[in-house]
Amino acid sequence: MCGIVGYVGSQDTKEILLRGLEKLEYRGYDSAGIAVVNDEGVQVFKEKGRIAALREIVDEQAKATVGIGHTRWATHGIPNRVNAHPHQSRSARFTLVHNGVIENYEQVKRSLLSGLSFVSDTDTEVIVQLIEKFVETGLPVEEAFRKTLQELKGSYALALIDQENPHVIYVAKNKSPLLVGLGSDCNVVASDAMAMLQVTDQFLELMDQEMVILTKDSVTIKDLEGNVITRKPFTAEIDASDIEKGTYPHYMLKEIDEQPFVIRNIIQKYQQENGDLKLADDIRRAMKETDRIYIVACGTSYHAGLVGKQFIEKMAGIPVEVHIASEFGYNMPLLSAKPLFIFISQSGETADSRAVLVKVKEMGHKALTLTNVPGSTLSREADYTLALYAGPEIAVASTKAYIAQIAVLAILAADTAKAKGLDIGFDLMQEMGIVASAIETLCDSKDEMKKIADEFLGTHRNAFFLGRGVDYYVCLEGALKLKEISYIQAEGFAGGELKHGPIALIETDTPVVALATQKSVSLNIRGNVKEVVARGANPCLISMAGIEEEGDRFVLPAVHEMLTPLVSVIPLQLISYYAALHRGCDVDKPRNLAKSVTVE
């Protein structure tokens, strides 16, 4: 989940690397570092904490036109300066940054590096020490780099510089995301195109088990056998202004406010001029031919998948199972005769999901990816892709990507229903237009959301979210948002499950947020609220216009009942935001978390 950058060109590299790392800080911010190299040698600067702390120690006099950088989410070794990247070989000739996990690093230590003293507790240091060892046996650097890669098991995105050849960056990729950027009088490397839009919008995708020799004037891609590979660049279609906060205090608030636009953008992208939905014929055919759909995802995307299950089963009549990727990969259930897998991932780089995708492809099954990044690994390796069109999402806590996932799943379900000759009973795109307006209204209710957050969550350590049916799935997402950015212990429960254990946790003034957007279970959830009130809870009931009752704390604008998850989650996002703000938490970069989970 770390982020790496590299630059080889004609400009002083320090500021380019630092700015690039700032764009990648969403991938990890336990520590950060850069290394710059010129004809006089290598200088390494690294520090625990954010990029801002790193900036303070970088020597402005260190001039160089080649360098690499890293921002870390700790996997091996505690977050400190010693374990921060870049790491160096024993003689300091080689300097390396790494994103990923080397699964056999202890074995490599014992078998190939026995007797060598290590400075850090990381798996990364094994890589750079092994490269130097192979060079000391007489191998050229490129051969030593390749031979080292062949010894590694696990995931890696690597950038290596050599003090004795300071005009080259050696790059390699396996499972972890990495791009090479083609600039004017320079070339770059980055975990995400956003990091190097300051330099170029032309990028080359790298595939697993490929290495690259990067100079100012050339880019040479090779496989691990040494064969040269040619590949055309693509244009990163990202507006640099989209990744700036503008006048907003936090990315999360900006991204919440962008959600009406996201819905309208999705409508525009997936609707033809005559009003019909436009999905690729091969996706439509795969949906019609399957006898069961397996949705595989993690975190927020998993919660979106639960809502998507409702859409697909109720609109298209296809059985759906929703699985947590990290569990599915090691405990695969008995599959149906004609399964179709749907992978949901904002980044398209989620390691747990990719591990499942690899197994699924080996078994010969078809896979569809829903992602916000069409050129990502999950998109590239699946058979089909549906883009989310949400725009860059920077805050760790996902908001607009979740909304986009649900909207695209609804479109997929409605399109499949029509292809099967089924009538869903309403005009989906028209109703989604109403949803966009409703979200806009809710985004304009920030003052009320702040009052609710202060009233119910001001000083509490615990909170419950209750719902039934699809509201339960939204409650799971609301609880996740609250816990990940405010650190309040929050849990989502199905209302009927209260009396089977969780109600024992209710104490005087325990905050309980309940959703009531479904007419068929409105009275049931209200009964559950009465149960917790009888035990001293402080209830906050959020209902849908049309089924509201006196005493409800907040009433949502009315939308089609099938699409209420797109609306009911908005106050939960805003309440979480203001609860975190009230407690002085870092909203965009909550502790111990990173945006793109690229390690299992």
Side-chain angles (χ1 to χ4, degrees), residues 22 25 50-57:
E22 286 169 347
E25 203 167 23
R50 304 290 172 84
I51 310 303
L54 173 64
R55 274 188 174 279
E56 293 180 1
I57 67 166

CSV table of all heavy atoms in Angstrom, one decimal, residues 22 25 50-57:
chain,number,residue,atom,x,y,z
A,22,GLU,N,3.5,13.7,-2.4
A,22,GLU,CA,2.3,14.4,-1.8
A,22,GLU,C,1.0,13.9,-2.4
A,22,GLU,O,0.0,13.7,-1.8
A,22,GLU,CB,2.4,15.9,-1.9
A,22,GLU,CG,3.4,16.5,-0.9
A,22,GLU,CD,3.7,17.9,-1.2
A,22,GLU,OE1,3.4,18.4,-2.3
A,22,GLU,OE2,4.4,18.6,-0.3
A,25,GLU,N,0.3,10.3,-1.0
A,25,GLU,CA,0.3,10.1,0.4
A,25,GLU,C,-1.0,9.3,0.9
A,25,GLU,O,-1.0,8.7,1.9
A,25,GLU,CB,0.3,11.5,1.1
A,25,GLU,CG,0.8,11.4,2.6
A,25,GLU,CD,1.2,12.7,3.2
A,25,GLU,OE1,0.6,13.7,2.7
A,25,GLU,OE2,2.0,12.8,4.1
A,50,ARG,N,4.6,12.3,7.9
A,50,ARG,CA,4.1,12.8,6.7
A,50,ARG,C,5.2,13.4,5.8
A,50,ARG,O,6.3,13.6,6.2
A,50,ARG,CB,3.0,13.8,6.9
A,50,ARG,CG,1.9,13.3,7.8
A,50,ARG,CD,1.0,12.3,7.1
A,50,ARG,NE,0.0,11.6,7.9
A,50,ARG,CZ,-1.2,12.1,8.2
A,50,ARG,NH1,-1.5,13.3,7.8
A,50,ARG,NH2,-2.0,11.5,9.0
A,51,ILE,N,4.8,13.7,4.5
A,51,ILE,CA,5.7,14.3,3.6
A,51,ILE,C,6.2,15.6,4.1
A,51,ILE,O,7.3,16.1,3.9
A,51,ILE,CB,5.0,14.5,2.2
A,51,ILE,CG1,4.4,13.2,1.8
A,51,ILE,CG2,6.0,14.9,1.2
A,51,ILE,CD1,5.3,12.0,1.7
A,52,ALA,N,5.3,16.3,4.8
A,52,ALA,CA,5.7,17.6,5.4
A,52,ALA,C,6.9,17.5,6.3
A,52,ALA,O,7.8,18.4,6.3
A,52,ALA,CB,4.5,18.2,6.2
A,53,ALA,N,7.0,16.4,7.1
A,53,ALA,CA,8.1,16.2,7.9
A,53,ALA,C,9.4,15.9,7.1
A,53,ALA,O,10.5,16.3,7.5
A,53,ALA,CB,7.9,15.0,8.9
A,54,LEU,N,9.2,15.2,6.0
A,54,LEU,CA,10.3,14.9,5.1
A,54,LEU,C,10.9,16.2,4.5
A,54,LEU,O,12.1,16.4,4.4
A,54,LEU,CB,9.9,13.9,4.0
A,54,LEU,CG,10.9,13.7,2.9
A,54,LEU,CD1,12.2,13.0,3.5
A,54,LEU,CD2,10.3,12.8,1.8
A,55,ARG,N,10.0,17.1,4.1
A,55,ARG,CA,10.4,18.3,3.5
A,55,ARG,C,11.3,19.1,4.4
A,55,ARG,O,12.3,19.8,3.9
A,55,ARG,CB,9.2,19.2,3.2
A,55,ARG,CG,8.5,18.9,1.8
A,55,ARG,CD,7.4,20.0,1.6
A,55,ARG,NE,6.8,19.8,0.2
A,55,ARG,CZ,7.3,20.2,-0.9
A,55,ARG,NH1,8.5,20.9,-0.8
A,55,ARG,NH2,6.8,20.0,-2.0
A,56,GLU,N,11.1,19.1,5.6
A,56,GLU,CA,11.9,19.9,6.6
A,56,GLU,C,13.3,19.4,6.7
A,56,GLU,O,14.2,20.2,7.1
A,56,GLU,CB,11.2,19.8,8.0
A,56,GLU,CG,9.9,20.5,8.1
A,56,GLU,CD,9.3,20.4,9.4
A,56,GLU,OE1,9.9,19.8,10.3
A,56,GLU,OE2,8.1,20.9,9.6
A,57,ILE,N,13.6,18.2,6.3
A,57,ILE,CA,15.0,17.7,6.4
A,57,ILE,C,15.7,17.6,5.1
A,57,ILE,O,16.9,17.3,5.1
A,57,ILE,CB,15.0,16.3,7.2
A,57,ILE,CG1,14.4,15.2,6.3
A,57,ILE,CG2,14.4,16.4,8.5
A,57,ILE,CD1,14.7,13.8,6.8
